[in-house]
């Protein structure tokens, strides 16, 4: 019989990575203040510059990121199991989004340079942009993910924080989708600062855009709650919405023209075969992930007791 290896104490690592997340939180606070200051100068900026409404979404994103990193960082330092679970899930989402964004930037930068020539060395600027995104969007979250997913870190958090937490109620893959939907709900509300919504070849503005964005925000929040409750109907609804959203997205891209794209040739960029291939690959991967989640719905119930939560903590 193989000897059972005792888990190692990772308390020191939890403090180090917790401090890293706290630092990221302060960085996000700085960006939030920077964007807030930019909204003040936007009133006197040229017409082509981003307006305050354009910057509202970025300010909300940075503010949410600051709250998350500060909370998760302090929770990690204290060895809280919910902080470990959130760190695993958010770093995985961050890494996946960063990888897709890095590929998109690598595709779009050459075309954007053709449309809007910039001063300096284009190759150097592109290399710095892609390198920065690779570090900030892929390597940094990869380090967080590899540390927090370690069974030794899990055992350390379970020892230091034996009480079941809200993150133990559902599997971590389901928790990831819940977080995505919750974030989408808030982001849709933030977009009300400038209600403009491209939809199947047309652009909704004014009251129709506001009603659509509000409806989508409410739907995202409702599905997040129902998925957290492991309701099978919520999973079916989300799968159906992904199919419908794919159809609408295809119609939007195929009917996009310069009249709705602005001064930059967005239509030409979005019809690039490589760009479309990345979009398709991203959608297929996410849809396959949703199908993978089917195993958690309709067969089990949420775990809330101290004796059965550990199944979902990994």
């Amino acid at each position: 019989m193989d000897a059972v290896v005792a888990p190692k104490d990772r308390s020191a690592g939890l403090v180090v990575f917790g401090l890293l997340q706290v630092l990221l939180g302060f960085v996000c606070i700085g960006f939030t203040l920077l964007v807030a200051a930019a909204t003040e100068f936007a009133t006197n900026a040229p017409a082509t510059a981003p307006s305050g409404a354009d910057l509202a979404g970025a300010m909300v994103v940075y503010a949410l990121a600051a709250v998350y990193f500060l909370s998760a960082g302090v929770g990690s330092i204290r060895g809280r199991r919910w902080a470990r679970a959130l760190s695993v899930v958010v770093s995985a989402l961050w890494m996946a989004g960063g990888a897709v964004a890095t590929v998109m930037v690598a595709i779009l930068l050459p075309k954007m340079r053709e449309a809007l020539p910039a001063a300096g060395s284009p190759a150097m600027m592109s290399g710095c942009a892609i390198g920065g995104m690779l570090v900030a969007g892929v390597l940094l979250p990869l380090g967080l993910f590899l540390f927090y997913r370690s069974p030794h870190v899990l055992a350390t958090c379970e020892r230091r924080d034996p009480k079941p937490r809200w993150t133990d109620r559902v599997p971590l893959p389901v928790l990831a989708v819940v977080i995505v939907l919750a974030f989408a709900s808030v982001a849709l509300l933030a977009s009300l600062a400038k209600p403009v919504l491209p939809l199947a070849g047309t652009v909704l503005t004014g009251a129709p855009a506001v009603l659509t964005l509000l409806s989508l925000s409410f739907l995202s929040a409702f599905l997040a709650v129902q998925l957290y409750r492991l309701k099978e109907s919520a999973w079916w609804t989300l799968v159906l919405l992904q199919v419908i959203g794919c159809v609408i997205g295809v119609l939007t891209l195929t009917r996009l023209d310069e009249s709705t794209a602005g001064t930059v040739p967005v239509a030409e960029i979005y019809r690039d075969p490589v760009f479309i291939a990345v979009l398709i690959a991203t959608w297929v991967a996410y849809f396959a992930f949703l199908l993978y989640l089917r195993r958690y719905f309709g067969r089990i119930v949420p775990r809330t007791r101290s004796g059965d939560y550990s199944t979902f903590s990994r």
Side-chain angles (χ1 to χ4, degrees), residues 1-3 49 51 67 69 87 92 96 99 168 178 193 195 218 223 225 243 256 264 314:
M1 180 180 295
D2 296 334
S51 64
V67 172
F69 281 122
S87 296
D168 297 318
V178 170
F218 173 79
L223 287 177
V225 173
V243 176
L256 190 67
V264 180
R314 293 170 171 80

Side-chain angles (χ1 to χ4, degrees), residues 213-229:
L213 291 171
L214 281 175
S215 300
L216 291 174
S217 176
F218 173 79
L219 180 60
S220 297
F222 176 77
L223 287 177
V225 173
Q226 295 304 307
L227 283 175
Y228 181 71
R229 298 174 61 190

Side-chain angles (χ1 to χ4, degrees), residues 174-187:
V174 177
L175 183 62
V177 180
V178 170
I179 291 176
V180 169
L181 289 172
F183 176 80
S185 178
V186 176

Side-chain angles (χ1 to χ4, degrees), residues 13-23 69 72-74 76-77 148:
L14 286 169
V15 172
V16 172
F17 279 86
L19 290 175
L20 174 60
Q21 295 202 69
V22 170
L23 176 62
F69 281 122
V74 173
S76 176
I77 294 172
Y148 283 106

Side-chain angles (χ1 to χ4, degrees), residues 81-82 84-86 88-89 148 154 158 164-176 227-231 292-314:
R81 58 195 309 127
W82 61 264
R84 177 258 171 192
L86 285 181
V88 172
V89 169
Y148 283 106
L154 172 63
E158 289 181 340
R165 300 295 180 176
W166 65 273
T167 51
D168 297 318
R169 190 177 191 272
V170 294
L172 292 186
V174 177
L175 183 62
L227 283 175
Y228 181 71
R229 298 174 61 190
L230 290 180
K231 296 296 184 180
Y292 165 81
L293 295 184
R294 178 66 179 86
R295 66 188 64 192
Y296 300 119
F297 295 88
R299 296 178 175 85
I300 58 178
V301 295
R303 305 304 177 100
T304 57
R305 299 173 302 177
S306 60
D308 60 9
Y309 65 86
S310 60
T311 302
F312 286 163
S313 63
R314 293 170 171 80

